[in-house]
């Protein structure tokens, strides 16, 4: 099943491969294993489960169901919004030990140091 959008045709597989924003959060108290996952661009596309891997796998299945419903009703599913790039540049001098800590944390979270810093500043 395909939908024509802006002179392009997307299949279910192509929608599934798009960079939708997935959020996984812990909903349990200390010692409890409870997680919630959602896709921001697809209203109502969310699941819960006991582990991050479990909710991610369930979310992928839920995403396919949501997109199939859009396609079945000849409605184009929402496309992930592209991130606008800015040419802003900020240079910060810091001790090498702090830079190493940031690099280790970024690697652990599988994001860039820049993204880690932006995330930390955004939540402050």
């Amino acid at each position: 099943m395909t939908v024509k959008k802006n002179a392009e045709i997307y299949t279910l597989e192509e929608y599934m491969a798009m960079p939708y924003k997935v959020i996984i959060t812990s909903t349990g108290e200390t010692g409890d294993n409870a997680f919630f996952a959602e896709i921001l661009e697809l209203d109502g596309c969310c699941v819960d489960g006991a582990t991050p891997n479990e909710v991610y796998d369930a979310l992928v299945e839920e995403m396919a169901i949501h997109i199939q419903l859009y396609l079945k009703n000849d409605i184009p599913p929402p496309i992930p919004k592209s991130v606008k790039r800015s040419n802003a540049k900020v240079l910060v001098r810091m001790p090498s030990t702090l830079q190493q800590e940031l690099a280790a944390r970024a690697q652990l979270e599988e994001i860039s140091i820049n993204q880690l810093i932006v995330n930390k500043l955004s939540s402050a």
Side-chain angles (χ1 to χ4, degrees):
M1 193 172 292
T2 59
V3 170
K4 189 170 185 172
K5 174 78 171 167
N6 295 333
E8 292 187 47
I9 297 175
Y10 299 113
T11 65
L12 172 63
E13 293 76 21
E14 289 170 322
Y15 279 108
M16 295 295 292
M18 290 183 182
Y20 286 96
K21 287 153 193 76
V22 174
I23 303 290
I24 299 176
T25 54
S26 173
T27 59
E29 296 296 320
T30 304
D32 290 339
N33 287 333
F35 294 88
F36 176 79
E38 63 183 322
I39 295 179
L40 297 181
E41 297 91 347
L42 299 175
D43 287 339
C45 187
C46 57
V47 296
D48 57 9
T51 67
N53 287 340
E54 178 183 313
V55 294
Y56 181 80
D57 292 342
L59 188 63
V60 170
E61 292 177 26
E62 187 68 19
M63 178 183 171
I65 292 167
H66 267 68
I67 292 174
Q68 286 171 342
L69 285 172
Y70 277 104
L71 298 176
K72 180 180 178 182
N73 292 304
D74 292 325
I75 300 170
I79 303 284
K81 293 181 173 90
S82 60
V83 177
K84 277 190 168 182
R85 298 272 177 182
S86 170
N87 290 333
K89 183 187 280 190
V90 177
L91 300 174
V92 179
R93 294 188 187 276
M94 68 180 78
S96 61
T97 55
L98 177 56
Q99 185 176 0
Q100 290 170 354
E101 284 180 42
L102 290 171
R105 173 63 65 175
Q107 184 177 13
L108 186 69
E109 295 185 24
E110 297 181 349
I111 58 176
S112 69
I113 293 176
N114 287 342
Q115 187 62 52
L116 176 71
I117 293 169
V118 168
N119 290 351
K120 297 293 183 185
L121 290 172
S122 298
S123 65

